[in-house]
Structures are given as structure tokens and as C-alpha cells.
Amino acid sequence: MAPMGIRLSPLGVAVFCLLGLGVLYHLYSGFLAGRFSLFGLGGEPGSSSAAGPAPAAEGGTVDLRELLAVSVLAAVRGGDEVRRVRESNTLQEKSKGKTREGADEKMTNGDVLSNRKMFYLLKTAFPSVQINTEEHVDAADQEVILWDRHIPEDILREITAPKEVPAESVTVWIDPLDATQEYTEDLRKYVTTMVCVAVNGKPVLGVIHKPFSEYTAWAMVDGGSNVKSRTSYNEKTPRIVVSRSHSGMVKQVALQTFGNQTTIIPAGGAGYKVLALLDVPDKSQEKADLYIHVTYIKKWDICAGNAILKALGGHMTTLSGEEISYTGSDGIEGGLLASIRINHQALVRKLPDLDKIGHN
């Protein structure tokens, strides 16, 4: 029997080829169109489309160097509002409740307007990061404050390359007016505006701005800073800066730990107290060797100072030596010990047991 064969008609071959070309077209037309449009816009393979959102807006990454630049600007802009309100004497002072020690917790027009400027500048520049602020943000007062993405030369000199982190890991802590009590008393040297950036709960960027002397300290952990520690500190009979309005038992703790030769410096504002430990070219700034606080304190009061001290090799912990996490609750219960160029853990071991003498 003769072998059977299959004969393909020319028409069938043509139809088969056309079907194949159709499949290939649908598979690759979108890819090729995207490539051609990308090159037509001047982009590079793998970069974001020019029409698409910036990485921070879609929850990608943020550059800590840029975030530091806008944080400095936010602290200065907020400070401008604080100074303007104080100098025009339009404080509109009111109480927003009581502190745990029973004192009035005051709020002024300076707090509100500074908070608005700082919050919306940061939120417009980095919409995908979480921002925690001490004051309420009223949606009716919302404003768009554009940032030109300029990084100042002093930051570029210290931090020469971008530092990218996931946007979802970032929390920004704003204190629009630290030392409100002293602000109402016209004790201007204590007043600061502060911004802190925490990554996964750890403070990495800190900005402390003094509106009335226009001095600004900033630092990035493992990056750089425009402020430094002093050359020496006295740890035997230290000068200790403490809160003038929330001192609790801090004076007793300090004298019991270091003896009667210890000098106690009552001062307002956590930002001012941290700057007291550093080499600050501001004649109104007192100098101290240690900062101790024994009562409850809020995280936006201390985060910026914590980041600056950490960047300079210093420490800020609870009185029991525990690191402070800038996630979760807004405050810490375990008091505060801040030092630089001193054996911090040795200081912790010297402190008395607060449970035996009380916290108030």
C-alpha cells in the first residue's frame, strides 16, 4: 500500500501565518509602545513614567537627605510664625487641659500657626509618610505649601549622596512650639520648633530651631551634622539641666546621685535642654553636662534631640537605660537621661530606684 501523505494548501498556510502574527502583535505591541514612548519622553528603561507619581507619592522610597532639607525649612517656617505672633502680642492664649502634675497645658496662636505651616509643608513634599504632630490639624485650614526640592549647600557638604529608605518605614514627629509655658511668659530663649524623622521607630534625623536667635541645629545618624559636642564634660559634679515646670523629683534624684556639689539648671523646653549639652554658638544658651527628666514626657518633645545626640555619639534613654521607640504611644513613662561623651550606662547604674522615692 502506498504511504499516505498530508497536503497543505497554500491558503491554509497563509491563514496560519496570519494568526501567528496576530498573536505576536498583541503580546509585544504594548511593550514596544511603552519603550518608544519612554525614549520619546527622554526617560531610561526601568525609570518611572514622566506622567506617573513620584516614588514617595506611591509609597516607594524617600531620600532622607531631601527629607532633612525640608525638615529644616519646616522648622524655620514654623519659627517665623512663632516669632511673628509673639512680637505682635497676638498669642490668644488658652488651656488645652492639665498636665499629669496638675499644671495648665497651654496653647497659643503661635502653636497653631506654626503647626499649620510645618505640617502642610512636610505633607505636600512627602505625602506618603506618616506625620505625628502635637497640635490638631484642622482640615478647614489646609493649604498646599510647595517645596522647590532645593537641598542647602551645608547639607550637601556633609551628606554627599542620597540615602533612600522605604516610605512606609518613616514617621515624622513635629513639635511646632516647644516651651509654650515659657513662650507665654516671654522667656524667648527657651522656645524652639523641632522636626524628627524616625525610621522603623529609630530616630535618624533631628532639627532644633531657635526662632528668636534664628539658630538651627540639625543632624543625620550615620550622615552628618552642623553641630558638635563640646570637648569635655564633668561627670563627677555635673551641671544638670532639668525642667522648670515639670521637675517632679528630678532635683532630689540629681543631688542623691551626684552629691550636693551638683549644679541644677532649671530650664524650659526639651529642645533647649538638649542644646545645652552641645557646642552651640548662641549667647543665650546655657551649658550643662547632663539632662535628666523623671516624669512622663511626650515623644515629639524629645525625638529631634534624641536623633541629634545619637548622630554625635551621645545617648538618650529612659532612666533605666532603655532605648526609646518612636512608634506606638505618644509618650514615655520611664523618665529621661541624656548625655554625650560620658559613660551613659555607668550613669544609669548610679541613678536611684525611682519606684522607692516616687516619680512626682
Side-chain angles (χ1 to χ4, degrees):
M1 181 180 294
M4 297 182 63
I6 299 174
R7 297 181 61 190
L8 296 177
S9 71
L11 179 61
V13 171
V15 170
F16 181 82
C17 291
L18 287 173
L19 288 172
L21 288 172
V23 171
L24 290 173
Y25 173 81
H26 284 290
L27 284 173
Y28 289 102
S29 61
F31 170 76
L32 293 172
R35 300 287 283 193
F36 286 130
S37 65
L38 181 63
F39 285 114
L41 292 168
E44 296 178 359
S47 66
S48 300
S49 167
E58 63 185 13
T61 62
V62 296
D63 178 7
L64 289 179
R65 189 172 60 169
E66 289 189 343
L67 194 45
L68 173 59
V70 77
S71 295
V72 170
L73 183 60
V76 172
R77 292 272 183 90
D80 291 343
E81 295 297 305
V82 167
R83 187 175 63 253
R84 182 180 62 80
V85 169
R86 178 66 266 183
E87 291 176 350
S88 63
N89 201 29
T90 54
L91 272 67
Q92 300 179 22
E93 176 186 336
K94 61 183 179 181
S95 175
K96 60 179 181 180
K98 296 284 187 180
T99 68
R100 294 194 178 189
E101 294 78 40
D104 279 334
E105 190 168 9
K106 295 182 178 180
M107 183 175 68
T108 68
N109 206 28
D111 296 81
V112 174
L113 295 178
S114 173
N115 186 67
R116 184 190 304 172
K117 289 291 183 186
M118 295 174 71
F119 179 87
Y120 285 114
L121 175 57
L122 286 156
K123 196 63 180 174
T124 303
F126 292 95
S128 63
V129 305
Q130 178 181 338
I131 300 177
N132 290 346
T133 179
E134 183 169 14
E135 303 303 335
H136 175 70
V137 180
D138 192 340
D141 295 327
Q142 182 173 349
E143 57 181 311
V144 176
I145 307 175
L146 296 179
W147 175 49
D148 62 6
R149 311 203 83 80
H150 171 70
I151 301 177
E153 287 299 320
D154 61 336
I155 293 177
L156 291 174
R157 282 195 302 269
E158 292 289 333
I159 309 165
T160 58
K163 293 182 179 289
E164 302 281 345
V165 296
E168 65 269 18
S169 69
V170 173
T171 304
V172 180
W173 294 81
I174 298 175
D175 193 339
L177 201 169
D178 190 36
T180 299
Q181 175 64 43
E182 288 72 23
Y183 182 66
T184 63
E185 298 172 19
D186 208 16
L187 299 174
R188 302 183 181 194
K189 71 176 184 179
Y190 296 125
V191 175
T192 63
T193 57
M194 297 188 286
V195 181
C196 176
V197 173
V199 177
N200 295 321
K202 297 180 179 180
V204 297
L205 298 180
V207 180
I208 303 177
H209 175 67
K210 300 183 76 173
F212 297 102
S213 63
E214 299 187 43
Y215 171 76
T216 307
W218 58 260
M220 176 191 289
V221 176
D222 297 326
S225 71
N226 72 338
V227 64
K228 58 184 179 180
S229 63
R230 301 199 304 273
T231 55
S232 64
Y233 294 84
N234 185 346
E235 56 186 297
K236 292 185 178 179
T237 54
R239 293 170 59 84
I240 302 176
V241 64
V242 304
S243 172
R244 66 186 290 269
S245 56
H246 309 290
S247 61
M249 295 294 293
V250 66
K251 292 181 181 179
Q252 180 181 336
V253 168
L255 295 174
Q256 183 175 334
T257 304
F258 299 101
N260 292 331
Q261 298 302 312
T262 299
T263 301
I264 303 297
I265 306 171
Y272 178 89
K273 296 184 190 74
V274 168
L275 292 180
L277 305 182
L278 305 176
D279 186 13
V280 173
D282 184 340
K283 293 180 180 178
S284 68
Q285 180 68 57
E286 296 168 280
K287 297 188 182 300
D289 302 299
L290 297 175
Y291 168 23
I292 299 179
H293 188 91
V294 299
T295 57
Y296 175 84
I297 193 166
K298 295 174 181 177
K299 291 180 180 178
W300 40 70
D301 290 331
I302 61 174
C303 186
N306 195 342
I308 291 174
L309 286 175
K310 187 175 180 181
L312 298 177
H315 301 274
M316 180 183 285
T317 67
T318 66
L319 293 174
S320 60
E322 296 174 351
E323 296 293 331
I324 300 165
S325 174
Y326 293 90
T327 57
S329 66
D330 291 337
I332 61 168
E333 303 280 356
L336 188 72
L337 175 64
S339 71
I340 188 167
R341 295 176 66 95
I342 292 178
N343 187 331
H344 191 82
Q345 288 306 313
L347 292 175
V348 170
R349 291 190 292 269
K350 288 181 70 172
L351 292 172
D353 186 348
L354 293 185
D355 292 332
K356 294 181 179 178
I357 62 175
H359 290 259
N360 300 313

CSV table of all heavy atoms in Angstrom, one decimal, residues 293-349:
chain,number,residue,atom,x,y,z
A,293,HIS,N,15.2,64.0,83.3
A,293,HIS,CA,13.8,64.2,83.5
A,293,HIS,C,13.2,63.0,84.1
A,293,HIS,O,13.5,61.8,83.6
A,293,HIS,CB,13.1,64.5,82.1
A,293,HIS,CG,11.7,64.9,82.2
A,293,HIS,ND1,11.4,66.3,82.2
A,293,HIS,CD2,10.6,64.2,82.2
A,293,HIS,CE1,10.1,66.4,82.3
A,293,HIS,NE2,9.5,65.2,82.2
A,294,VAL,N,12.3,63.1,85.1
A,294,VAL,CA,11.8,61.9,85.8
A,294,VAL,C,10.3,61.7,85.6
A,294,VAL,O,9.8,60.6,86.0
A,294,VAL,CB,12.1,61.9,87.3
A,294,VAL,CG1,13.7,62.0,87.5
A,294,VAL,CG2,11.4,63.1,88.0
A,295,THR,N,9.6,62.6,85.0
A,295,THR,CA,8.2,62.4,84.9
A,295,THR,C,7.8,62.0,83.4
A,295,THR,O,8.7,62.0,82.5
A,295,THR,CB,7.4,63.7,85.2
A,295,THR,OG1,7.9,64.8,84.5
A,295,THR,CG2,7.6,64.0,86.7
A,296,TYR,N,6.6,61.8,83.1
A,296,TYR,CA,6.1,61.5,81.8
A,296,TYR,C,6.5,62.6,80.8
A,296,TYR,O,6.5,63.8,81.1
A,296,TYR,CB,4.6,61.4,81.8
A,296,TYR,CG,3.9,61.2,80.5
A,296,TYR,CD1,3.8,59.9,79.9
A,296,TYR,CD2,3.4,62.3,79.8
A,296,TYR,CE1,3.2,59.7,78.7
A,296,TYR,CE2,2.7,62.1,78.5
A,296,TYR,CZ,2.6,60.8,78.0
A,296,TYR,OH,2.0,60.7,76.8
A,297,ILE,N,6.9,62.2,79.6
A,297,ILE,CA,7.3,63.2,78.6
A,297,ILE,C,6.8,62.7,77.2
A,297,ILE,O,6.8,61.5,77.0
A,297,ILE,CB,8.8,63.5,78.6
A,297,ILE,CG1,9.2,64.7,77.8
A,297,ILE,CG2,9.6,62.3,78.2
A,297,ILE,CD1,10.5,65.3,78.1
A,298,LYS,N,6.5,63.6,76.4
A,298,LYS,CA,5.9,63.3,75.0
A,298,LYS,C,7.0,63.1,74.0
A,298,LYS,O,8.1,63.8,74.1
A,298,LYS,CB,4.9,64.4,74.6
A,298,LYS,CG,3.7,64.4,75.5
A,298,LYS,CD,2.8,65.6,75.1
A,298,LYS,CE,1.6,65.6,76.1
A,298,LYS,NZ,0.7,66.8,75.8
A,299,LYS,N,6.8,62.2,73.1
A,299,LYS,CA,7.9,61.9,72.1
A,299,LYS,C,8.2,63.0,71.2
A,299,LYS,O,9.4,63.1,70.7
A,299,LYS,CB,7.5,60.6,71.4
A,299,LYS,CG,7.5,59.4,72.2
A,299,LYS,CD,7.0,58.1,71.5
A,299,LYS,CE,7.0,56.9,72.4
A,299,LYS,NZ,6.6,55.7,71.7
A,300,TRP,N,7.2,63.8,70.8
A,300,TRP,CA,7.6,64.9,69.9
A,300,TRP,C,8.4,66.0,70.6
A,300,TRP,O,9.1,66.8,69.9
A,300,TRP,CB,6.4,65.6,69.2
A,300,TRP,CG,5.2,65.7,70.1
A,300,TRP,CD1,5.1,66.6,71.2
A,300,TRP,CD2,4.0,65.0,70.1
A,300,TRP,NE1,3.9,66.5,71.8
A,300,TRP,CE2,3.2,65.5,71.1
A,300,TRP,CE3,3.5,64.0,69.2
A,300,TRP,CZ2,1.9,65.0,71.3
A,300,TRP,CZ3,2.2,63.5,69.4
A,300,TRP,CH2,1.4,64.0,70.5
A,301,ASP,N,8.5,66.0,71.9
A,301,ASP,CA,9.4,66.9,72.7
A,301,ASP,C,10.8,66.4,72.6
A,301,ASP,O,11.7,67.2,72.7
A,301,ASP,CB,9.0,66.9,74.1
A,301,ASP,CG,7.7,67.7,74.4
A,301,ASP,OD1,7.3,68.6,73.6
A,301,ASP,OD2,7.0,67.3,75.3
A,302,ILE,N,11.1,65.1,72.4
A,302,ILE,CA,12.4,64.6,72.6
A,302,ILE,C,13.0,63.9,71.4
A,302,ILE,O,14.2,63.7,71.4
A,302,ILE,CB,12.4,63.6,73.8
A,302,ILE,CG1,11.5,62.4,73.5
A,302,ILE,CG2,12.0,64.3,75.1
A,302,ILE,CD1,11.5,61.3,74.6
A,303,CYS,N,12.2,63.6,70.4
A,303,CYS,CA,12.7,62.8,69.3
A,303,CYS,C,13.8,63.5,68.5
A,303,CYS,O,14.8,62.9,68.2
A,303,CYS,CB,11.5,62.5,68.3
A,303,CYS,SG,12.0,61.4,66.9
A,304,ALA,N,13.7,64.8,68.2
A,304,ALA,CA,14.7,65.6,67.5
A,304,ALA,C,16.0,65.6,68.3
A,304,ALA,O,17.1,65.4,67.7
A,304,ALA,CB,14.2,67.0,67.2
A,305,GLY,N,15.9,65.9,69.6
A,305,GLY,CA,17.1,65.9,70.4
A,305,GLY,C,17.8,64.5,70.5
A,305,GLY,O,19.0,64.4,70.5
A,306,ASN,N,17.0,63.5,70.5
A,306,ASN,CA,17.5,62.1,70.5
A,306,ASN,C,18.3,61.8,69.3
A,306,ASN,O,19.4,61.3,69.3
A,306,ASN,CB,16.3,61.1,70.7
A,306,ASN,CG,16.7,59.7,71.1
A,306,ASN,OD1,17.9,59.3,71.0
A,306,ASN,ND2,15.8,58.9,71.6
A,307,ALA,N,17.7,62.2,68.1
A,307,ALA,CA,18.4,61.9,66.8
A,307,ALA,C,19.7,62.7,66.8
A,307,ALA,O,20.7,62.2,66.3
A,307,ALA,CB,17.5,62.4,65.7
A,308,ILE,N,19.7,64.0,67.2
A,308,ILE,CA,21.0,64.8,67.2
A,308,ILE,C,22.0,64.2,68.1
A,308,ILE,O,23.2,64.0,67.7
A,308,ILE,CB,20.7,66.2,67.5
A,308,ILE,CG1,19.8,66.9,66.4
A,308,ILE,CG2,22.0,67.0,67.7
A,308,ILE,CD1,19.4,68.3,66.7
A,309,LEU,N,21.6,63.8,69.3
A,309,LEU,CA,22.6,63.2,70.2
A,309,LEU,C,23.2,61.9,69.7
A,309,LEU,O,24.4,61.6,69.7
A,309,LEU,CB,22.0,63.0,71.6
A,309,LEU,CG,21.8,64.2,72.4
A,309,LEU,CD1,21.0,63.8,73.7
A,309,LEU,CD2,23.1,64.9,72.8
A,310,LYS,N,22.3,61.1,69.1
A,310,LYS,CA,22.7,59.8,68.6
A,310,LYS,C,23.7,60.0,67.4
A,310,LYS,O,24.6,59.3,67.3
A,310,LYS,CB,21.5,59.0,68.1
A,310,LYS,CG,21.7,57.6,67.7
A,310,LYS,CD,20.4,56.8,67.3
A,310,LYS,CE,20.7,55.4,66.9
A,310,LYS,NZ,19.5,54.7,66.6
A,311,ALA,N,23.4,61.0,66.6
A,311,ALA,CA,24.3,61.3,65.4
A,311,ALA,C,25.7,61.7,65.9
A,311,ALA,O,26.6,61.4,65.2
A,311,ALA,CB,23.6,62.3,64.5
A,312,LEU,N,25.7,62.3,67.0
A,312,LEU,CA,27.0,62.8,67.6
A,312,LEU,C,27.7,61.8,68.5
A,312,LEU,O,28.7,62.2,69.1
A,312,LEU,CB,26.8,64.2,68.3
A,312,LEU,CG,26.3,65.3,67.4
A,312,LEU,CD1,26.0,66.5,68.2
A,312,LEU,CD2,27.2,65.6,66.2
A,313,GLY,N,27.1,60.6,68.6
A,313,GLY,CA,27.7,59.6,69.5
A,313,GLY,C,27.2,59.7,71.0
A,313,GLY,O,27.7,59.0,71.8
A,314,GLY,N,26.2,60.5,71.2
A,314,GLY,CA,25.6,60.6,72.5
A,314,GLY,C,24.4,59.6,72.7
A,314,GLY,O,24.2,58.8,71.9
A,315,HIS,N,23.7,59.8,73.8
A,315,HIS,CA,22.7,58.8,74.2
A,315,HIS,C,21.5,59.6,74.8
A,315,HIS,O,21.7,60.5,75.6
A,315,HIS,CB,23.2,57.8,75.2
A,315,HIS,CG,24.3,57.0,74.7
A,315,HIS,ND1,24.2,55.9,73.9
A,315,HIS,CD2,25.7,57.2,74.9
A,315,HIS,CE1,25.4,55.4,73.7
A,315,HIS,NE2,26.3,56.1,74.2
A,316,MET,N,20.3,59.1,74.5
A,316,MET,CA,19.1,59.5,75.2
A,316,MET,C,18.3,58.2,75.4
A,316,MET,O,17.9,57.5,74.5
A,316,MET,CB,18.3,60.5,74.4
A,316,MET,CG,17.0,60.9,75.1
A,316,MET,SD,16.0,62.1,74.2
A,316,MET,CE,16.9,63.6,74.3
A,317,THR,N,18.1,57.9,76.7
A,317,THR,CA,17.3,56.7,77.1
A,317,THR,C,16.4,57.0,78.2
A,317,THR,O,16.3,58.1,78.7
A,317,THR,CB,18.3,55.6,77.6
A,317,THR,OG1,18.9,56.0,78.8
A,317,THR,CG2,19.4,55.3,76.5
A,318,THR,N,15.6,56.0,78.6
A,318,THR,CA,14.8,56.1,79.8
A,318,THR,C,15.8,56.1,81.0
A,318,THR,O,17.0,55.8,80.8
A,318,THR,CB,13.8,54.9,80.0
A,318,THR,OG1,14.6,53.7,80.1
A,318,THR,CG2,12.9,54.8,78.8
A,319,LEU,N,15.4,56.3,82.2
A,319,LEU,CA,16.3,56.3,83.3
A,319,LEU,C,16.8,55.0,83.6
A,319,LEU,O,17.9,54.8,84.3
A,319,LEU,CB,15.6,56.9,84.6
A,319,LEU,CG,15.2,58.4,84.5
A,319,LEU,CD1,14.4,58.8,85.7
A,319,LEU,CD2,16.4,59.3,84.4
A,320,SER,N,16.2,53.9,83.1
A,320,SER,CA,16.6,52.6,83.3
A,320,SER,C,17.6,52.1,82.2
A,320,SER,O,18.0,51.0,82.2
A,320,SER,CB,15.5,51.6,83.5
A,320,SER,OG,14.7,51.6,82.3
A,321,GLY,N,17.8,53.0,81.2
A,321,GLY,CA,18.8,52.7,80.2
A,321,GLY,C,18.2,52.1,78.9
A,321,GLY,O,18.9,51.7,78.0
A,322,GLU,N,16.8,52.1,78.8
A,322,GLU,CA,16.2,51.5,77.7
A,322,GLU,C,16.1,52.5,76.5
A,322,GLU,O,15.8,53.7,76.7
A,322,GLU,CB,14.7,51.1,78.1
A,322,GLU,CG,14.7,49.9,79.1
A,322,GLU,CD,13.3,49.6,79.5
A,322,GLU,OE1,12.4,50.4,79.1
A,322,GLU,OE2,13.1,48.6,80.3
A,323,GLU,N,16.3,52.0,75.3
A,323,GLU,CA,16.2,52.8,74.1
A,323,GLU,C,14.7,53.2,74.0
A,323,GLU,O,13.8,52.5,74.3
A,323,GLU,CB,16.7,52.1,72.9
A,323,GLU,CG,18.2,51.8,72.9
A,323,GLU,CD,19.0,53.1,72.9
A,323,GLU,OE1,18.6,54.1,72.3
A,323,GLU,OE2,20.1,53.0,73.4
A,324,ILE,N,14.5,54.4,73.4
A,324,ILE,CA,13.1,54.9,73.2
A,324,ILE,C,12.7,54.6,71.8
A,324,ILE,O,13.4,55.0,70.8
A,324,ILE,CB,13.0,56.4,73.5
A,324,ILE,CG1,13.5,56.6,75.0
A,324,ILE,CG2,11.6,56.9,73.3
A,324,ILE,CD1,13.8,58.1,75.3
A,325,SER,N,11.5,54.0,71.6
A,325,SER,CA,11.0,53.7,70.3
A,325,SER,C,10.0,54.7,69.9
A,325,SER,O,9.0,55.0,70.7
A,325,SER,CB,10.3,52.3,70.3
A,325,SER,OG,9.7,52.1,69.0
A,326,TYR,N,10.1,55.3,68.7
A,326,TYR,CA,9.2,56.3,68.2
A,326,TYR,C,8.1,55.8,67.4
A,326,TYR,O,7.9,56.1,66.2
A,326,TYR,CB,10.0,57.4,67.6
A,326,TYR,CG,10.9,58.1,68.6
A,326,TYR,CD1,12.2,57.7,68.9
A,326,TYR,CD2,10.4,59.2,69.4
A,326,TYR,CE1,12.9,58.3,69.8
A,326,TYR,CE2,11.2,59.8,70.3
A,326,TYR,CZ,12.4,59.3,70.6
A,326,TYR,OH,13.2,59.9,71.6
A,327,THR,N,7.4,54.8,67.9
A,327,THR,CA,6.2,54.2,67.4
A,327,THR,C,5.2,54.1,68.5
A,327,THR,O,5.6,54.3,69.7
A,327,THR,CB,6.5,52.8,66.8
A,327,THR,OG1,7.0,52.0,67.8
A,327,THR,CG2,7.5,52.9,65.6
A,328,GLY,N,4.0,53.7,68.2
A,328,GLY,CA,3.0,53.4,69.2
A,328,GLY,C,2.6,54.7,70.0
A,328,GLY,O,2.2,55.7,69.3
A,329,SER,N,2.6,54.7,71.3
A,329,SER,CA,2.1,55.7,72.1
A,329,SER,C,2.9,57.0,71.9
A,329,SER,O,4.0,57.0,71.4
A,329,SER,CB,2.2,55.3,73.6
A,329,SER,OG,3.5,55.2,74.0
A,330,ASP,N,2.2,58.1,72.3
A,330,ASP,CA,2.8,59.5,72.1
A,330,ASP,C,3.8,59.9,73.1
A,330,ASP,O,4.5,60.9,73.0
A,330,ASP,CB,1.7,60.5,72.0
A,330,ASP,CG,0.8,60.4,70.8
A,330,ASP,OD1,1.3,59.8,69.8
A,330,ASP,OD2,-0.3,60.9,70.8
A,331,GLY,N,4.0,59.1,74.2
A,331,GLY,CA,4.9,59.5,75.3
A,331,GLY,C,5.5,58.3,75.9
A,331,GLY,O,5.3,57.2,75.6
A,332,ILE,N,6.5,58.6,76.9
A,332,ILE,CA,7.1,57.6,77.6
A,332,ILE,C,7.0,57.8,79.1
A,332,ILE,O,6.9,59.0,79.6
A,332,ILE,CB,8.6,57.5,77.3
A,332,ILE,CG1,9.4,58.8,77.6
A,332,ILE,CG2,8.8,57.1,75.8
A,332,ILE,CD1,10.9,58.7,77.6
A,333,GLU,N,6.9,56.8,79.9
A,333,GLU,CA,6.7,56.8,81.3
A,333,GLU,C,8.0,56.8,82.1
A,333,GLU,O,8.0,57.1,83.3
A,333,GLU,CB,5.8,55.7,81.8
A,333,GLU,CG,4.4,55.6,81.1
A,333,GLU,CD,3.4,56.6,81.7
A,333,GLU,OE1,3.8,57.3,82.7
A,333,GLU,OE2,2.3,56.7,81.1
A,334,GLY,N,9.1,56.3,81.5
A,334,GLY,CA,10.3,55.9,82.3
A,334,GLY,C,11.3,57.0,82.5
A,334,GLY,O,12.4,56.7,82.8
A,335,GLY,N,10.9,58.3,82.4
A,335,GLY,CA,11.8,59.3,82.6
A,335,GLY,C,12.8,59.4,81.5
A,335,GLY,O,12.7,58.7,80.4
A,336,LEU,N,13.9,60.2,81.7
A,336,LEU,CA,14.8,60.5,80.6
A,336,LEU,C,16.2,60.8,81.1
A,336,LEU,O,16.3,61.6,82.1
A,336,LEU,CB,14.3,61.7,79.8
A,336,LEU,CG,15.0,62.1,78.5
A,336,LEU,CD1,14.6,61.1,77.4
A,336,LEU,CD2,14.5,63.5,78.1
A,337,LEU,N,17.2,60.3,80.5
A,337,LEU,CA,18.6,60.6,80.8
A,337,LEU,C,19.3,60.8,79.4
A,337,LEU,O,19.3,59.9,78.6
A,337,LEU,CB,19.2,59.4,81.5
A,337,LEU,CG,20.7,59.6,81.8
A,337,LEU,CD1,21.0,60.8,82.7
A,337,LEU,CD2,21.3,58.3,82.4
A,338,ALA,N,19.9,62.0,79.3
A,338,ALA,CA,20.6,62.3,78.1
A,338,ALA,C,22.0,62.7,78.4
A,338,ALA,O,22.3,63.5,79.3
A,338,ALA,CB,19.9,63.4,77.3
A,339,SER,N,23.0,62.2,77.6
A,339,SER,CA,24.4,62.5,77.8
A,339,SER,C,25.2,62.4,76.5
A,339,SER,O,24.7,61.8,75.6
A,339,SER,CB,25.0,61.5,78.9
A,339,SER,OG,25.1,60.2,78.3
A,340,ILE,N,26.4,62.9,76.5
A,340,ILE,CA,27.3,62.8,75.4
A,340,ILE,C,28.7,62.8,75.9
A,340,ILE,O,29.0,63.6,76.9
A,340,ILE,CB,27.0,63.9,74.4
A,340,ILE,CG1,27.8,63.6,73.1
A,340,ILE,CG2,27.3,65.3,74.9
A,340,ILE,CD1,27.4,64.5,71.9
A,341,ARG,N,29.5,62.0,75.4
A,341,ARG,CA,31.0,61.9,75.7
A,341,ARG,C,31.1,61.5,77.2
A,341,ARG,O,32.1,61.9,77.9
A,341,ARG,CB,31.7,63.2,75.4
A,341,ARG,CG,31.8,63.5,73.9
A,341,ARG,CD,32.5,64.8,73.7
A,341,ARG,NE,33.9,64.8,74.1
A,341,ARG,CZ,34.9,64.6,73.2
A,341,ARG,NH1,34.6,64.3,72.0
A,341,ARG,NH2,36.1,64.6,73.7
A,342,ILE,N,30.1,60.8,77.8
A,342,ILE,CA,30.2,60.3,79.1
A,342,ILE,C,29.7,58.8,79.1
A,342,ILE,O,28.9,58.5,78.2
A,342,ILE,CB,29.2,61.1,80.1
A,342,ILE,CG1,29.8,62.5,80.2
A,342,ILE,CG2,29.1,60.5,81.4
A,342,ILE,CD1,28.9,63.4,81.1
A,343,ASN,N,30.2,58.0,80.0
A,343,ASN,CA,29.8,56.6,80.1
A,343,ASN,C,28.3,56.5,80.5
A,343,ASN,O,28.0,56.6,81.7
A,343,ASN,CB,30.6,55.8,81.0
A,343,ASN,CG,30.4,54.3,81.0
A,343,ASN,OD1,29.2,53.9,80.7
A,343,ASN,ND2,31.4,53.5,81.3
A,344,HIS,N,27.4,56.4,79.5
A,344,HIS,CA,26.0,56.5,79.8
A,344,HIS,C,25.5,55.4,80.7
A,344,HIS,O,24.7,55.6,81.6
A,344,HIS,CB,25.2,56.5,78.4
A,344,HIS,CG,23.8,56.9,78.6
A,344,HIS,ND1,23.4,58.2,78.7
A,344,HIS,CD2,22.7,56.1,78.7
A,344,HIS,CE1,22.1,58.2,78.8
A,344,HIS,NE2,21.6,57.0,78.8
A,345,GLN,N,25.9,54.2,80.4
A,345,GLN,CA,25.4,53.0,81.2
A,345,GLN,C,25.9,53.1,82.7
A,345,GLN,O,25.2,52.7,83.6
A,345,GLN,CB,25.9,51.7,80.6
A,345,GLN,CG,25.1,51.4,79.3
A,345,GLN,CD,23.6,51.4,79.5
A,345,GLN,OE1,23.1,50.8,80.5
A,345,GLN,NE2,22.9,52.0,78.6
A,346,ALA,N,27.1,53.7,82.9
A,346,ALA,CA,27.6,53.9,84.2
A,346,ALA,C,26.7,54.9,84.9
A,346,ALA,O,26.4,54.8,86.1
A,346,ALA,CB,29.0,54.4,84.2
A,347,LEU,N,26.2,55.9,84.2
A,347,LEU,CA,25.3,56.9,84.8
A,347,LEU,C,24.0,56.2,85.2
A,347,LEU,O,23.4,56.5,86.3
A,347,LEU,CB,25.0,58.0,83.8
A,347,LEU,CG,26.1,59.0,83.5
A,347,LEU,CD1,25.7,59.9,82.4
A,347,LEU,CD2,26.5,59.8,84.7
A,348,VAL,N,23.5,55.4,84.3
A,348,VAL,CA,22.2,54.6,84.6
A,348,VAL,C,22.3,53.8,85.9
A,348,VAL,O,21.4,53.8,86.7
A,348,VAL,CB,21.9,53.7,83.4
A,348,VAL,CG1,20.7,52.8,83.8
A,348,VAL,CG2,21.5,54.5,82.2
A,349,ARG,N,23.5,53.2,86.1
A,349,ARG,CA,23.7,52.4,87.3
A,349,ARG,C,23.8,53.2,88.5
A,349,ARG,O,23.4,52.7,89.6
A,349,ARG,CB,24.9,51.5,87.1
A,349,ARG,CG,24.8,50.4,86.0
A,349,ARG,CD,26.0,49.4,86.1
A,349,ARG,NE,27.2,50.0,85.7
A,349,ARG,CZ,27.7,50.1,84.5
A,349,ARG,NH1,27.0,49.5,83.5
A,349,ARG,NH2,28.8,50.6,84.2
